[in-house]
Structures are given as structure tokens and as C-alpha cells.
């Protein structure tokens, strides 16, 4: 049960990061370094979620 709650929390963080990435990329002058960092963080979350689901 605790693992499911943790996964749910990570999924929410993943979705939030996607929203932040979308906001950043739609700015007039998006910061490519920030976008790259956010995408790496999002990928790490995705990998953690997949590992916990197994």
C-alpha cells in the first residue's frame, strides 16, 4: 500500500514537471539549459516509477 502511494506521488511529480516543461518551452525565449535539466529529472522519475512497478 505504501509503495502504491509513493508511485502515485511520483506520477504527480512527473505530470507537474511536464507542465513546467511545457510552460518553459512556450515562453518567447525558453531557457534550453533549464528545459534540459527538467527533462532529465522527469526521465529519472519515470525510471523510478517503472522500477517500483516491477
Amino acid at each position: 500500500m505504501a509503495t502504491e502511494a509513493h508511485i502515485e506521488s511520483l506520477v504527480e511529480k512527473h505530470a507537474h514537471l511536464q507542465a513546467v516543461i511545457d510552460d518553459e518551452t512556450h515562453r518567447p525565449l525558453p531557457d534550453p539549459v533549464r528545459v534540459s535539466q527538467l527533462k532529465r529529472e522527469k526521465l529519472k522519475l519515470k525510471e523510478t516509477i517503472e522500477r517500483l512497478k516491477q
Side-chain angles (χ1 to χ4, degrees):
M1 189 70 168
T3 303
E4 291 175 16
H6 184 59
I7 291 172
E8 179 81 22
S9 171
L10 293 176
V11 168
E12 289 175 10
K13 288 180 184 179
H14 186 269
H16 175 71
L17 278 175
Q18 182 60 51
V20 173
I21 291 168
D22 290 342
D23 288 345
E24 183 67 32
T25 56
H26 289 98
R27 285 183 23 185
L29 293 171
D31 181 357
V33 174
R34 177 160 164 74
V35 172
S36 179
Q37 290 171 338
L38 291 167
K39 285 183 177 183
R40 264 187 303 228
E41 188 176 343
K42 185 179 151 201
L43 179 59
K44 286 179 186 178
L45 280 174
K46 181 180 178 183
E47 290 171 347
T48 302
I49 292 166
E50 291 302 316
R51 190 178 69 242
L52 289 173
K53 284 184 176 180
Q54 293 179 357

